Amino acid sequence: MTGFIIQNPTLEQCLKAVKMGIGARRLLIMLGELRVDYFGRGSSELDYGERLLIVKGDGSLLIHRPTNVEPVNWQPPGSLYRAYVKRGLLVLEAYRKRPEERVRVTFRRVSLVGVYHLKDGAEFKLYTAEEVMKKAFIKRPDLVEKGLRVVMEEKRLKAGLVDCFCVDSSNRPVVVEFKKDRAGIEAVDQLSRYVDELRRGNPEVRGILVAPSITKEALERVRSLNLEYRRLDVRRCIKVLESMEEPIKPLEYFES
Amino acid sequence: MTGFIIQNPTLEQCLKAVKMGIGARRLLIMLGELRVDYFGRGSSELDYGERLLIVKGDGSLLIHRPTNVEPVNWQPPGSLYRAYVKRGLLVLEAYRKRPEERVRVTFRRVSLVGVYHLKDGAEFKLYTAEEVMKKAFIKRPDLVEKGLRVVMEEKRLKAGLVDCFCVDSSNRPVVVEFKKDRAGIEAVDQLSRYVDELRRGNPEVRGILVAPSITKEALERVRSLNLEYRRLDVRRCIKVLESMEEPIKPLEYFES
């Protein structure tokens, strides 16, 4: 990470850093006493207060107050900027053409200005609750049944995509389906369609529905169709996944 | 604004600053190379990259990548924190009980850690597009008609709340209603209800509908009801409001 930071910059230092940072598409961070005026779809005013301002390399603008996740004012990527000094105050304007919007930030005092070049090429991977259950199951199939082995992490059938295709300790094929919430009739019917398709080739095929709970009606259907149900919830799966890593030393949480 | 910043802190300096900052409910800012693991409703993984981390005094957590307005991971106010060193890496965990969620941030390198106490008691004032039109009109009634004077900035009638109650240069009362979008029949009918109520006491009362445009049908209704229409859009009102301030020296916008 390359960059620089200036504490209590002069007006000239600050203007130069702002223009350089935005012009070079760097991350600009400023802490200071500022007011914000917005004109566009309606308008807004926020009188002077101590806040954090961020301009990102793509032109996004964020102005953060001392509390809350949401920025109090913001502009999307692609905003245009100008910065100037007026009556001894530093003004930074973000402008957007369509829809026409302008955010004007007026600094009465700047405590910190930083310009950094961040490198970040990582891919954000998001897993649904059912994918988390499946991940834990793949690492620890005994969560569902001792002796199970995962053969295929997914299997495409005419009836759809099976979550996990396994064999049990007696080498019988097993279809495993995960539901993050209480399983109902639809979940049983879905599993049943997969198992039916496979039982045409091998009547020994088992089907296991894995969910945190099941309705009475669904459990009856499970039994009548010669399927099975195992209780497992996402929370337990998360604990299992976390425990696969080297244990961290226990520490008390402290309140912010 | 009180606070401090450390560039390229040692692991110990960093851990101390993080614990102090969060414990004292300050604003914590960190720039570094970090990875993020989230467990809760599903899970997410983001491998190492250079990012900005913010913890606010209310316990909000924001992790920002070099682009986009939205944080890649976040936790709401009230989150609990713990920080520790593990295998030479600084780990910061945000924990939330209900729903149970955990964000674990692992720093491989910290370029900057800052802890600041921000004071910000200002009130955020938001104006709708119609309020902007009204603000501009109050400052410059000639935008609608020369010689108009605003008597009441709003007036409550049985039929509802009138936007502006004015008198014209001949001292005739004038009801002015603003619409930010193309005015239709409903807008005319609304104005008509106000004017009707007032005309019972004074048949001279005028009614002016102010909008950027009007449908043909609505314009016919305006005429048949002996009302009036004036063209004015929000953009013009914003320009008027901005021009009321001391003109700023013209500068070219530069692209970020």
Side-chain angles (χ1 to χ4, degrees):
Chain A
M1 191 181 309
T2 55
F4 64 86
I5 201 138
I6 313 172
Q7 296 188 59
N8 303 311
T10 65
L11 211 54
E12 291 66 34
Q13 282 178 319
C14 202
L15 185 63
K16 199 176 152 188
V18 167
K19 287 190 170 186
M20 193 287 255
I22 296 176
R25 296 180 157 273
R26 300 296 197 244
L27 176 77
L28 172 71
I29 307 174
M30 297 174 79
L31 275 171
E33 200 181 344
L34 59 89
R35 70 165 278 146
V36 191
D37 294 273
Y38 162 83
F39 298 102
R41 296 164 291 188
S43 73
S44 75
E45 285 174 25
L46 180 63
D47 207 355
Y48 285 101
E50 293 173 345
R51 294 167 198 133
L52 170 65
L53 175 143
I54 300 164
V55 180
K56 292 190 177 183
D58 61 357
S60 310
L61 169 72
L62 298 139
I63 297 159
H64 274 286
R65 305 189 74 169
T67 56
N68 287 323
V69 168
E70 294 298 322
V72 63
N73 285 94
W74 62 276
Q75 285 290 285
S79 297
L80 301 175
Y81 289 85
R82 61 176 184 174
Y84 52 90
V85 170
K86 182 185 156 188
R87 284 191 237 144
L89 303 172
L90 179 73
V91 182
L92 177 63
E93 282 187 20
Y95 176 77
R96 190 185 178 198
K97 195 133 192 176
R98 201 156 300 167
E100 195 172 0
E101 291 184 304
R102 189 186 346 268
V103 174
R104 188 177 55 218
V105 184
T106 310
F107 283 88
R108 192 150 72 177
R109 209 162 55 80
V110 178
S111 300
L112 193 77
V113 58
V115 172
Y116 281 89
H117 186 202
L118 303 186
K119 283 184 197 147
D120 181 5
E123 185 198 350
F124 185 71
K125 291 180 199 148
L126 193 63
Y127 303 96
T128 64
E130 276 143 19
E131 287 167 333
V132 168
M133 294 176 82
K134 184 169 157 177
K135 266 170 80 176
F137 170 72
I138 288 168
K139 292 196 173 183
R140 286 261 320 269
D142 63 294
L143 282 169
V144 170
E145 183 177 294
K146 219 181 155 184
L148 275 188
R149 277 184 302 120
V150 178
V151 178
M152 294 167 82
E153 294 190 7
E154 57 182 41
K155 184 177 171 69
R156 185 162 291 285
L157 297 179
K158 280 179 200 142
L161 199 64
V162 165
D163 276 348
C164 263
F165 186 70
C166 312
V167 292
D168 67 12
S169 54
S170 321
N171 270 324
R172 282 174 68 185
V174 187
V175 171
V176 181
E177 277 294 308
F178 300 95
K179 293 293 164 200
K180 71 180 205 306
D181 298 318
R182 188 175 185 79
I185 288 291
E186 335 66 56
V188 183
D189 287 347
Q190 186 193 2
L191 175 61
S192 170
R193 284 193 298 275
Y194 301 152
V195 171
D196 282 355
E197 186 175 332
L198 292 166
R199 278 181 182 165
R200 273 174 236 145
N202 178 354
E204 293 289 283
V205 171
R206 297 171 57 198
I208 305 180
L209 181 61
V210 180
S213 61
I214 190 165
T215 65
K216 209 181 143 208
E217 199 187 8
L219 188 59
E220 280 163 13
R221 177 89 58 117
V222 159
R223 284 170 185 157
S224 72
L225 293 169
N226 199 22
L227 300 170
E228 294 152 72
Y229 159 71
R230 293 287 184 285
R231 206 189 92 66
L232 183 66
D233 64 20
V234 182
R235 201 170 144 174
R236 171 115 174 79
C237 293
I238 286 173
K239 290 208 191 313
V240 165
L241 288 172
E242 286 187 310
S243 72
M244 307 295 282
E245 305 173 24
E246 193 180 296
I248 53 176
K249 55 178 173 173
L251 268 168
E252 289 305 301
Y253 280 94
F254 53 91
E255 266 194 59
S256 77
Chain B
M1 191 181 308
T2 55
F4 64 86
I5 200 139
I6 313 172
Q7 296 187 61
N8 303 311
T10 66
L11 212 54
E12 291 66 34
Q13 283 178 318
C14 202
L15 185 63
K16 198 175 152 189
V18 166
K19 287 190 169 184
M20 193 287 255
I22 296 176
R25 296 180 156 273
R26 300 295 197 246
L27 176 77
L28 172 71
I29 307 174
M30 296 175 79
L31 275 171
E33 200 180 345
L34 59 89
R35 70 165 278 146
V36 191
D37 294 273
Y38 162 83
F39 298 102
R41 295 163 292 188
S43 72
S44 74
E45 285 174 27
L46 180 64
D47 206 355
Y48 285 102
E50 294 173 344
R51 293 166 199 133
L52 170 65
L53 175 142
I54 301 164
V55 180
K56 292 190 177 183
D58 61 357
S60 311
L61 169 71
L62 298 139
I63 297 159
H64 274 285
R65 305 188 75 170
T67 56
N68 287 323
V69 168
E70 294 298 323
V72 64
N73 285 94
W74 61 276
Q75 284 290 285
S79 297
L80 302 175
Y81 289 85
R82 61 176 184 174
Y84 52 91
V85 170
K86 182 185 156 190
R87 283 191 239 143
L89 303 173
L90 179 74
V91 182
L92 178 63
E93 282 187 22
Y95 176 76
R96 191 184 178 197
K97 196 135 193 174
R98 201 155 301 166
E100 195 172 0
E101 290 184 304
R102 188 183 351 265
V103 173
R104 187 177 55 218
V105 184
T106 310
F107 283 89
R108 191 150 73 178
R109 208 161 56 80
V110 178
S111 301
L112 193 78
V113 59
V115 172
Y116 282 89
H117 185 203
L118 303 186
K119 283 184 197 147
D120 181 6
E123 184 199 349
F124 184 71
K125 290 180 200 149
L126 193 63
Y127 303 96
T128 64
E130 276 143 18
E131 287 167 332
V132 169
M133 294 176 81
K134 184 170 156 176
K135 266 170 80 177
F137 170 72
I138 288 168
K139 292 197 173 183
R140 286 261 319 269
D142 62 295
L143 282 169
V144 170
E145 182 178 295
K146 220 182 155 183
L148 275 187
R149 277 183 302 120
V150 177
V151 178
M152 294 167 82
E153 294 190 8
E154 57 181 41
K155 185 178 171 68
R156 186 163 290 286
L157 297 179
K158 280 179 200 143
L161 199 63
V162 165
D163 276 348
C164 262
F165 186 69
C166 311
V167 293
D168 68 11
S169 54
S170 321
N171 269 323
R172 283 174 67 183
V174 187
V175 171
V176 181
E177 277 295 308
F178 300 96
K179 293 293 164 200
K180 72 180 204 306
D181 298 318
R182 188 175 184 80
I185 288 291
E186 335 67 55
V188 183
D189 287 347
Q190 185 193 3
L191 175 61
S192 170
R193 284 193 297 276
Y194 301 152
V195 171
D196 281 355
E197 186 175 333
L198 292 167
R199 279 182 181 164
R200 275 175 234 143
N202 178 353
E204 292 289 283
V205 171
R206 297 171 56 197
I208 305 180
L209 181 61
V210 180
S213 61
I214 191 165
T215 65
K216 209 182 144 208
E217 200 187 6
L219 188 59
E220 280 163 14
R221 177 89 58 117
V222 159
R223 284 171 185 157
S224 72
L225 293 170
N226 198 21
L227 300 171
E228 294 152 72
Y229 159 70
R230 293 286 185 285
R231 206 188 93 66
L232 183 67
D233 63 21
V234 182
R235 200 170 146 175
R236 171 115 174 80
C237 293
I238 286 173
K239 290 208 191 313
V240 165
L241 288 172
E242 287 187 309
S243 71
M244 308 294 282
E245 306 173 22
E246 192 181 297
I248 53 176
K249 55 177 173 172
L251 267 169
E252 289 304 300
Y253 280 94
F254 54 90
E255 267 194 59
S256 77

